[in-house]
Amino acid sequence: VHHGPNRASPGDIPALAEKADVILTTYGTAVRDMEALNEITWAKVVLDEAQAIKNPASETAQQLKRLDAGGRIALTGTPIENGLGDLWAIMEFTNPGLVGPRPSFIAQLSKSGNGSGSGAERALRALNGILVFRRTKAEPAIAAELPDRIDELDHCAMTPEHIGLYQAVLDNLVIETADSDNTPHKKGAVLAAITALKQICNHPVNYEEDDRPLDGRSGKLARLNEIVDSVFASGERMLVFTHFASWGEKLAAYLTERTGRTIECYHGGLGRGARDRMVERFQNADGAGAMVLSLKAGGTGLNLTAANHVVLYDRWWNPAVEDQARDRVWRIGQEHTVICHRLVCPGTIDERVEEVVAGKRQIADITLPKSSSIGDLDADQLQQALGIDSAALVDLEESDLAVASTPTGELET
């Protein structure tokens, strides 16, 4: 293993390569030590989670292409996260120049399709068995090894505090951008507001720190508590994913106090050793339990089959990223039915994200078809694109938060 502060110095890497059959390293370490690694002729270079090089202009992609190897292999569960350009970048790494320039590759494989999704599927099918060796969970041999999976979309109530904060952020955005002709500034303000609105949907404290208790202030937290109680009563284990690491730490501390069980938060700010020990403790523990994970750090590369429940506490625009997170649990080795809850506040930015993920609308439609970019939106369009749809809000019961759970219905294998 070539990683960490005690790894071999650049001058000792050739000797390390001489005596080892396989050297494992990280993308970051490889880039830092590239001058030394590039001096060695490798029999093979293998990239795991190869979507890390989907941007061919990135430092990681540029540096890794320098490696001298007899063969190159790329492994990934999501070769196409955003579009056909992702697949081109991976194939350009494995076989430089073979698939031609990026624009023509994308154009050829998109010709007869109705959007990037069909083009992506067609590309993978066309290349399968030639330059791509693909297996999917729908294949009979693999499906036979996987348990059933249930996806649920849980509609969570907005509290009055939620609604007040949400509207305040939106009103402030409209005022801030009303007289702005600076499109980059306006675009930045809109993107910052979208992040703030997503935080508010999670919990007021995710957006604005205070010393008040967390209970009774968020429909999402109320629904999470219901799920935790049900999972723990069954003696089972669960994962909770959030895009915001600091909120994940608060959730872990809150759930630890509430359940009386130690619940840890896995995020990128922890060292590799600490994260590995956390996974080992979770996988080997007996009885009910939970772990909170940041979507970025915990969404790939982990095997957490000790859990069979997943909660996506907040939503991400890319369905492939969400599926990767869920598949930390739904993978070979899982023996129980997997249940995945996606939490959404109806009538808010949460629902806009859900529409994109569900494929009901194109991303451009969120900001209205006539607009070429979010920087072009006027005040009315901003309100329409990001504002609260009062007709879609889940009502609050007088006694408590009402939470509606709407399963997708079918079992999937």
Side-chain angles (χ1 to χ4, degrees):
V1 175
H2 181 68
H3 176 65
N6 297 321
R7 68 184 185 272
S9 64
D12 293 334
I13 289 178
L16 177 67
E18 189 69 31
K19 67 180 183 180
D21 296 306
V22 178
I23 293 178
L24 299 175
T25 189
T26 65
Y27 288 109
T29 301
V31 169
R32 283 190 290 273
D33 292 348
M34 184 52 64
E35 295 306 321
L37 294 173
N38 192 37
E39 294 297 318
I40 300 166
T41 300
W42 304 92
K44 289 229 177 1
V45 171
V46 181
L47 302 190
D48 191 24
E49 303 294 353
Q51 67 273 15
I53 62 164
K54 66 184 178 184
N55 177 3
S58 69
E59 178 75 1
T60 300
Q62 293 288 330
Q63 291 297 324
L64 290 174
K65 285 174 71 173
R66 295 175 56 193
L67 290 170
D68 181 13
R72 294 176 175 180
I73 298 174
L75 307 173
T76 174
T78 50
I80 301 172
E81 286 191 349
N82 298 319
L84 286 165
D86 299 354
L87 180 60
W88 179 88
I90 294 171
M91 300 196 69
E92 176 66 12
F93 170 82
T94 54
N95 293 280
L98 189 61
V99 293
R102 187 171 185 268
S104 59
F105 176 85
I106 294 171
Q108 280 187 313
L109 290 171
S110 300
K111 274 180 184 175
S112 59
N114 298 313
S116 61
S118 58
E121 182 63 28
R122 190 166 54 257
L124 290 171
R125 286 185 179 179
L127 296 167
N128 194 26
I130 307 169
L131 301 174
V132 173
F133 296 88
R134 183 193 188 200
R135 65 175 192 172
T136 72
K137 289 181 174 178
E139 293 174 17
I142 299 171
E145 297 187 53
L146 289 170
D148 290 333
R149 189 189 85 231
I150 300 171
D151 286 318
E152 294 193 358
L153 184 65
D154 293 6
H155 286 171
C156 305
M158 291 276 280
T159 67
E161 183 182 8
H162 264 150
I163 295 171
L165 283 172
Y166 194 104
Q167 194 59 51
V169 167
L170 190 57
D171 290 346
N172 184 64
L173 173 65
V174 170
I175 293 169
E176 183 182 353
T177 59
D179 300 320
S180 176
D181 294 326
N182 184 340
T183 298
H185 168 76
K186 190 171 185 179
K187 184 175 181 179
V190 173
L191 293 175
I194 288 174
T195 299
L197 296 175
K198 283 165 60 68
Q199 290 173 317
I200 291 166
C201 288
N202 282 353
H203 195 288
V205 170
N206 187 190
Y207 170 66
E208 203 167 57
E209 187 74 46
D210 62 43
D211 297 327
R212 294 163 54 200
L214 298 184
D215 281 322
R217 303 169 63 187
S218 165
K220 283 192 178 184
L221 188 61
R223 179 59 183 144
L224 177 63
N225 284 338
E226 290 182 354
I227 297 168
V228 169
D229 290 346
S230 174
V231 171
F232 278 37
S234 302
E236 296 179 332
R237 304 177 73 74
M238 63 184 290
L239 306 180
V240 182
F241 284 94
T242 175
H243 187 65
F244 304 99
S246 59
W247 174 240
E249 291 182 308
K250 289 184 178 67
L251 266 183
Y254 167 82
L255 292 173
T256 295
E257 183 178 355
R258 184 176 181 274
T259 63
R261 296 175 180 266
T262 301
I263 296 173
E264 299 180 296
C265 180
Y266 184 106
H267 60 83
L270 300 171
R272 169 57 60 186
R275 283 185 280 172
D276 289 346
R277 290 189 293 273
M278 193 178 293
V279 169
E280 186 176 356
R281 284 193 295 271
F282 183 82
Q283 284 289 92
N284 296 328
D286 294 323
M291 182 190 291
V292 181
L293 305 94
S294 76
L295 193 61
K296 186 172 183 180
T300 58
L302 296 179
N303 187 338
L304 294 166
T305 50
N308 64 306
H309 297 263
V310 176
V311 176
L312 296 170
Y313 193 92
D314 46 65
R315 308 302 305 281
W316 192 238
W317 302 98
N318 193 327
V321 172
E322 292 193 341
D323 289 347
Q324 279 274 59
R326 179 202 61 205
D327 289 353
R328 301 311 92 211
V329 166
W330 193 56
R331 58 199 301 112
I332 292 173
Q334 177 59 259
E335 298 176 353
H336 304 286
T337 296
V338 169
I339 301 175
C340 178
H341 296 266
R342 291 171 163 87
L343 307 189
V344 171
C345 291
T348 69
I349 187 69
D350 262 5
E351 195 162 64
R352 278 45 158 210
V353 175
E354 169 55 28
E355 288 170 345
V356 173
V357 170
K360 295 175 184 174
R361 297 170 71 185
Q362 297 296 321
I363 291 176
D365 290 342
I366 291 178
T367 51
L368 307 179
K370 294 180 181 178
S371 173
S372 59
S373 79
I374 58 177
D376 298 330
L377 299 181
D378 61 27
D380 289 339
Q381 290 172 326
L382 281 173
Q383 291 280 6
Q384 185 175 343
L386 304 178
I388 293 176
D389 179 2
S390 57
L393 289 178
V394 175
D395 292 333
L396 289 167
E397 291 180 347
E398 291 181 6
S399 59
D400 201 356
L401 291 171
V403 182
S405 175
T406 55
T408 53
E410 70 277 16
L411 290 175
E412 297 182 33
T413 57

